[in-house]
Amino acid sequence: MNRILITILLMAASVAGIAQVKITGKVYDEAEQPIEFATVRVLGTTIGVNTDLKGMYELTVPASDTIMVEFSCIGYSTVTRQLIKPTGTVTISPKLYEKSHELGEVVITEYKKQTNTMQGIDLEHTRIAPDASGNRVEAVLTTMAGVTSKNEMSSQYMVRGGSYDENSVYINGIEVYRPQLISSGQQEGLSIINSDMVSQVNFSTGGFNAEYGDKMSSALDITYRDPQAFEGALSASLQGGTLTLGHGTQRFSQLHGVRYKRNSSLMGSLESKGEYDPQYFDYQTHIVFKPSDKFRISLLGNVSINHYRFVPVDRETSFGTANDAKSFKVYFDGQEKDKFETVFGALSLNYRVNKGTDFTLQASGYQTNELVAYDVHGEYWLDEAGAGTVGGELGVGKYHEHERTRLKLKVLDFALKGNTGISYHNLSYGVSMRRESIYDRQREWEWRDSAGYSLPHIADEVNVIYSQTSHHDLSTTRLAFYVQDTYKVALGSGLLSINGGLRISHWDFNKETLFSPRFSIGYVPDGNNRLSLRLAGGLYYQAPFYKEYRYETHDSIGNPYIALNNEIKSQRSIQFIAGGDYTFRMMDRPFKFTAELYYKNLSNLIPYEVDNLKVVYSGRNESKGFIAGVDMKLFGQFVEGTDSWLSLSLMKTSEELNGVKVPRPTDQRYSLALFFTDYFPSVPRLKFSLKALLSDGLPTTSPRMTRDQGYFRQPAYKRLDAGVSFMLVGPEHKPRDGFLSHFKDIWLGVDVFNLLDISNVSSYYWVTDVNEIQYAVPNYLTRRQFNVRLSATF
């Protein structure tokens, strides 16, 4: 009652002409990101407002000798600011920290609520964790529920039954691309994401907003940081090294990153022995200039050079069971020389009209020059290898594999985006034009000889078992528009968040126009604010990129070649997702349990088969199907002061292919992932990290066959990586002067990749004898390897 009287008196004073004080500002979190829907109120009154979606607020109060302003938000500690005799306009932009509870010397954090389908990922947990690929962001993603990877040398991942090509990636709001001709982890090298430059990672496994493009499975949104002062980071290991340098002032900031990778030691554990000469180099820059408080100009640049050379010598593979063991021996001649060179640049101009409206003009260009060239000749023996087997020769022969494929791809993208805040609504909208130019030249063939006969065997003829050619020059244009509204309001029963949007796109190659409505709803009940609920869905499309509309046909004399299907349609996915989070405390530590159910109805599918990292499409809309599953994740402090998590995914897929119902090529029925961190109480500077993956094997079939003709499953993927790190220099262990005093931290670590030395299968080499009997010889991934690393920040 007293508070209401005070407020009435203040209002009366305002009418009487007493001076007013305007209080404005922006509320941030620890990562310098705006906090939306935070509460800002003047203590002792009922005057208060909520921040908008950009963290901005503004309120007016009568002048007074002392004004106490309180800033609060669910999941954050409350901050109070005292104003002494304020006049005119006062700006307060506080930083709120996540709530914490002191437990001895360990700080335990309460986890934020998630009200949409985008989950934030903290990379700090994994900076000293073992990582065979060297791509830290993607390595973390593969431990998330619904995300899997089958190759530790690759940054590619599959999400909820989708292929590698169904994931969109954005850096600073610009969509980026990956090389198209990658077929194995050895070729891939470095991901386009430099994890040392990242400030924020947001990831959605489905149900993402209309602002994200036409992909069916996931959206990864990366933000590079703006340095506030001089900073740097470096690392070195047996696999390569990185160096990141940054500097910032109030108006200008720059961040540069260089990476070099040469993981020949890791490849040396593969069964194909020879001379591995991989060299991967990457340079990135992020420059920001703010000529005024309203303008922001940013430049993003990337140059990547990945070269892979391999001269094979021999290979010996044992496979089968104890009662049916086989041995495959090959002697090689020839070599493979591949290169993947990409250049990417983006310029963004942002203008903030007022606290609720801003516009961004973007222009970006991407160019890749890819060459896959090999001539490899081999002589092989396939024998029975069981105990007591005598004269168990199953096949002997020769083969010659040849490929010369060059792909040049140029993408120019222009976009205008805007945001407008109106009361509790935030409108986002944008229009874009993309121009794609493709130069494709391919010549690929394989000759096989079994027991002195070329395959396929035709009397008095020498034939190749497989050949393919492609010769295309193509330029196309894509147009897109999106609009979405995010509405957040505090109801009497809880916090409600609603996002609804529409994406429209057109492609002149197939004259197709797509309408993609999407929605998401989040709710945090006041009666139990440990619980947050989510519901999302929409109509999603997979707009065909170059590989998806290529199909094989034959000329008038029967020679095969690749043609382009200008009648191709976008694959369609109707998605529904329901889930939620529940935060709780156990053993006086915070935990969060997340669960999501999802269902995808698929149509206009372009069938494909997966061979290692190579996705081979039919080039036609020939099937339909569905994907359904559940993802669960337990995140928390299994050990005081360190975050760990356990993920479990169960999934079922089905596809009707040529009238036969079969599982999709990505039908991974179960997946279990563990990321665990620990420290030694007697030596707190010594930390232990472990990453474990167990996932079901994928359906596979022999080359140039489809699953409706027959398939089998690969063995389950099982891998355990472990690492131990010691802090040489840290906040509490740093000399006061000298060279080492300039470092924030220095870590020395030892990793063991594939600790259990398990032979995981990436793909199969198929041997065919003259009787048309085929044998699937497994191509195994890397075995146990040791790595030593040194990392530092300054």
Side-chain angles (χ1 to χ4, degrees):
M1 185 67 180
N2 291 335
R3 181 180 298 175
I4 296 176
L5 290 174
I6 292 172
T7 302
I8 293 173
L9 291 174
L10 288 172
M11 294 176 64
S14 175
V15 173
I18 296 177
Q20 302 288 301
V21 177
K22 180 187 291 186
I23 305 174
T24 66
K26 190 173 185 178
V27 181
Y28 297 91
D29 64 11
E30 299 172 75
E32 302 292 341
Q33 299 299 315
I35 299 178
E36 57 189 30
F37 220 79
T39 300
V40 183
R41 69 187 187 94
V42 178
L43 295 181
T45 76
T46 58
I47 299 175
V49 296
N50 290 319
T51 59
D52 61 20
L53 295 179
K54 296 180 181 178
M56 305 293 293
Y57 74 93
E58 179 181 309
L59 53 82
T60 301
V61 297
S64 176
D65 289 341
T66 302
I67 297 177
M68 301 292 292
V69 185
E70 182 184 83
F71 302 85
S72 62
C73 186
I74 295 176
Y76 293 90
S77 58
T78 299
V79 172
T80 303
R81 292 286 185 266
Q82 184 180 36
L83 303 179
I84 306 298
K85 296 182 179 181
T87 59
T89 299
V90 179
T91 300
I92 308 177
S93 296
K95 182 181 293 186
L96 302 189
Y97 293 86
E98 295 181 2
K99 285 184 179 178
S100 62
H101 301 273
E102 293 292 337
L103 182 61
E105 297 181 353
V106 180
V107 177
I108 300 178
T109 305
E110 291 184 351
Y111 303 117
K112 292 193 298 184
K113 304 295 186 296
Q114 180 184 337
T115 57
N116 55 34
T117 58
M118 274 287 182
Q119 58 176 313
I121 298 175
D122 186 359
L123 291 184
E124 189 61 28
H125 303 305
T126 64
R127 192 166 72 87
I128 57 174
D131 176 18
S133 70
N135 303 311
R136 186 152 51 103
V137 172
E138 292 87 346
V140 174
L141 293 184
T142 59
T143 64
M144 299 295 164
V147 186
T148 56
S149 173
K150 292 291 188 179
N151 193 319
E152 61 272 5
M153 293 184 291
S154 170
S155 63
Q156 305 307 315
Y157 53 90
M158 299 174 290
V159 178
R160 289 181 174 175
S163 75
Y164 301 121
D165 298 323
E166 296 179 18
N167 308 306
S168 59
V169 180
Y170 293 81
I171 299 179
N172 291 355
I174 308 290
E175 186 172 7
V176 295
Y177 308 89
R178 65 183 182 90
Q180 298 293 301
L181 299 183
I182 293 291
S183 60
S184 67
Q186 296 93 301
Q187 298 172 318
E188 186 174 331
L190 293 164
S191 160
I192 193 172
I193 302 171
N194 186 332
S195 57
D196 291 335
M197 299 174 67
V198 172
S199 69
Q200 189 173 14
V201 180
N202 289 303
F203 182 63
S204 173
T205 53
F208 40 88
N209 297 342
E211 64 184 297
Y212 299 105
D214 295 315
K215 296 292 180 71
M216 292 197 304
S217 290
S218 74
L220 175 61
D221 195 344
I222 301 291
T223 302
Y224 282 174
R225 67 180 178 275
D226 300 343
Q228 304 300 309
F230 177 76
E231 64 174 55
L234 60 87
S235 66
S237 73
L238 298 180
Q239 296 179 277
T242 67
L243 174 63
T244 304
L245 294 174
H247 178 264
T249 63
Q250 186 177 2
R251 295 294 184 186
F252 179 80
S253 68
Q254 56 182 324
L255 185 65
H256 306 274
V258 177
R259 296 179 292 169
Y260 178 76
K261 181 179 176 182
R262 183 181 170 85
N263 57 347
S264 53
S265 61
L266 189 64
M267 296 181 186
S269 66
L270 298 171
E271 292 200 325
S272 292
K273 303 303 180 183
E275 180 185 348
Y276 287 93
D277 186 22
Q279 298 189 57
Y280 314 118
F281 172 82
D282 172 270
Y283 166 74
Q284 295 192 34
T285 182
H286 177 222
I287 299 174
V288 176
F289 175 56
K290 303 174 184 176
S292 70
D293 292 338
K294 290 183 175 292
F295 280 98
R296 173 188 168 97
I297 304 171
S298 61
L299 174 68
L300 180 66
N302 169 241
V303 176
S304 177
I305 302 174
N306 293 343
H307 287 180
Y308 172 70
R309 179 176 175 268
F310 175 47
V311 180
V313 175
D314 60 42
R315 164 186 172 173
E316 185 169 2
T317 303
S318 299
F319 63 101
T321 64
N323 298 323
D324 187 23
K326 296 178 177 60
S327 174
F328 181 66
K329 180 72 175 180
V330 187
Y331 292 97
F332 296 105
D333 184 27
Q335 67 175 340
E336 177 178 358
K337 295 179 67 176
D338 307 328
K339 69 176 183 179
F340 304 89
E341 301 173 348
T342 61
V343 178
F344 172 76
L347 180 66
S348 298
L349 307 177
N350 177 263
Y351 175 67
R352 184 167 62 88
V353 180
N354 51 51
K355 69 171 186 176
T357 300
D358 70 89
F359 296 98
T360 301
L361 180 64
Q362 296 175 336
S364 64
Y366 170 85
Q367 177 176 305
T368 179
N369 181 15
E370 304 177 28
L371 173 66
V372 175
Y374 58 78
D375 268 295
V376 177
H377 181 270
E379 297 185 13
Y380 67 85
W381 288 261
L382 180 64
D383 301 312
E384 295 279 7
T389 301
V390 179
E393 185 176 280
L394 296 174
V396 60
K398 303 178 182 180
Y399 69 88
H400 190 163
E401 296 176 338
H402 169 93
E403 182 174 1
R404 294 290 187 276
T405 298
R406 181 178 292 277
L407 177 66
K408 296 181 181 180
L409 172 64
K410 297 180 181 179
V411 179
L412 295 177
D413 205 329
F414 302 92
L416 176 62
K417 303 177 181 180
N419 298 280
T420 300
I422 305 174
S423 184
Y424 296 125
H425 297 265
N426 186 75
L427 293 173
S428 299
Y429 37 85
V431 60
S432 65
M433 182 189 75
R434 179 183 301 168
R435 183 69 174 172
E436 300 169 359
S437 299
I438 297 172
Y439 170 95
D440 175 27
R441 301 292 186 270
Q442 177 187 12
R443 175 64 177 170
E444 183 180 357
W445 53 263
E446 180 180 355
W447 169 80
R448 288 197 188 181
D449 176 284
S450 180
Y453 297 94
S454 64
L455 300 176
H457 176 58
I458 302 176
D460 302 323
E461 292 185 14
V462 177
N463 294 278
V464 294
I465 194 171
Y466 162 74
S467 69
Q468 192 174 85
T469 62
S470 179
H471 188 288
H472 295 288
D473 295 279
L474 179 67
S475 294
T476 65
T477 301
R478 302 177 193 258
L479 303 175
F481 166 79
Y482 75 88
V483 60
Q484 65 183 34
D485 179 28
T486 301
Y487 174 72
K488 291 193 174 184
V489 63
L491 304 175
S493 57
L495 175 64
L496 177 67
S497 172
I498 301 176
N499 177 278
L502 174 67
R503 186 176 186 87
I504 303 174
S505 58
H506 177 80
W507 188 26
D508 65 356
F509 179 70
N510 62 354
K511 313 301 181 187
E512 182 183 40
T513 301
L514 305 175
F515 295 86
S516 175
R518 309 172 187 182
F519 77 93
S520 65
I521 301 173
Y523 181 67
V524 180
D526 272 346
N528 186 359
N529 60 17
R530 293 182 177 274
L531 179 68
S532 63
L533 303 174
R534 296 184 297 276
L535 179 67
L539 178 58
Y540 292 81
Y541 290 93
Q542 177 76 16
F545 207 54
Y546 187 61
K547 293 189 299 183
E548 291 154 275
Y549 54 87
R550 302 166 78 245
Y551 70 98
E552 184 176 278
T553 186
H554 296 80
D555 60 20
S556 58
I557 60 175
N559 294 320
Y561 69 95
I562 295 296
L564 304 182
N565 181 8
N566 61 1
E567 296 182 355
I568 197 76
K569 300 298 181 185
S570 297
Q571 300 178 88
R572 186 177 67 189
S573 172
I574 302 175
Q575 302 184 12
F576 295 98
I577 299 135
D581 303 332
Y582 182 72
T583 59
F584 60 96
R585 300 188 67 81
M586 182 171 60
M587 300 177 292
D588 203 22
R589 304 174 200 158
F591 288 86
K592 180 169 72 172
F593 177 74
T594 300
E596 284 191 348
L597 293 166
Y598 61 91
Y599 176 81
K600 305 179 186 180
N601 182 279
L602 309 175
S603 58
N604 286 340
L605 291 179
I606 305 172
Y608 62 86
E609 304 298 335
V610 177
D611 181 14
N612 199 345
L613 297 179
K614 186 177 183 180
V615 182
V616 182
Y617 293 91
S618 71
R620 299 182 177 90
N621 302 103
E622 298 178 311
S623 65
K624 60 182 180 179
F626 72 87
I627 302 173
V630 58
D631 293 334
M632 292 171 284
K633 178 182 175 183
L634 178 62
F635 183 96
Q637 296 190 357
F638 297 4
V639 176
E640 292 178 354
T642 63
D643 287 331
S644 304
W645 58 87
L646 176 67
S647 301
L648 173 64
S649 300
L650 303 174
M651 181 179 65
K652 176 178 175 58
T653 74
S654 178
E655 182 177 357
E656 187 173 322
L657 187 58
N658 298 323
V660 180
K661 290 187 176 181
V662 293
R664 302 210 74 203
T666 53
D667 182 60
Q668 192 162 266
R669 296 170 297 187
Y670 63 87
S671 177
L672 183 67
L674 170 67
F675 182 84
F676 177 77
T677 57
D678 195 0
Y679 64 93
F680 297 85
S682 58
V683 189
R685 298 162 67 183
L686 188 62
K687 293 195 174 183
F688 171 77
S689 301
L690 181 145
K691 184 174 74 172
L693 299 174
L694 170 62
S695 56
D696 190 21
L698 300 179
T700 189
T701 185
S702 59
R704 294 166 293 282
M705 290 185 64
T706 54
R707 279 157 290 127
D708 59 296
Q709 298 171 294
Y711 70 90
F712 67 96
R713 285 189 179 270
Q714 297 178 357
Y717 182 84
K718 295 166 284 188
R719 187 174 177 90
L720 181 65
D721 295 339
V724 177
S725 302
F726 182 77
M727 179 188 289
L728 300 175
V729 174
E732 299 178 1
H733 306 278
K734 184 167 60 174
R736 295 182 178 180
D737 51 30
F739 176 72
L740 294 181
S741 65
H742 299 288
F743 288 85
K744 294 180 180 178
D745 61 55
I746 301 177
W747 290 88
L748 178 64
V750 177
D751 300 325
V752 183
F753 301 138
N754 197 356
L755 178 65
L756 303 181
D757 199 27
I758 297 172
S759 298
N760 288 304
V761 176
S762 64
S763 59
Y764 291 90
Y765 182 81
W766 292 83
V767 177
T768 307
D769 63 19
V770 292
N771 298 315
E772 297 297 327
I773 298 177
Q774 290 187 317
Y775 300 90
V777 182
N779 296 316
Y780 292 116
L781 290 165
T782 59
R783 303 294 293 270
R784 183 191 295 125
Q785 285 286 298
F786 292 89
N787 182 50
V788 179
R789 53 182 164 77
L790 178 70
S791 63
T793 61
F794 52 90

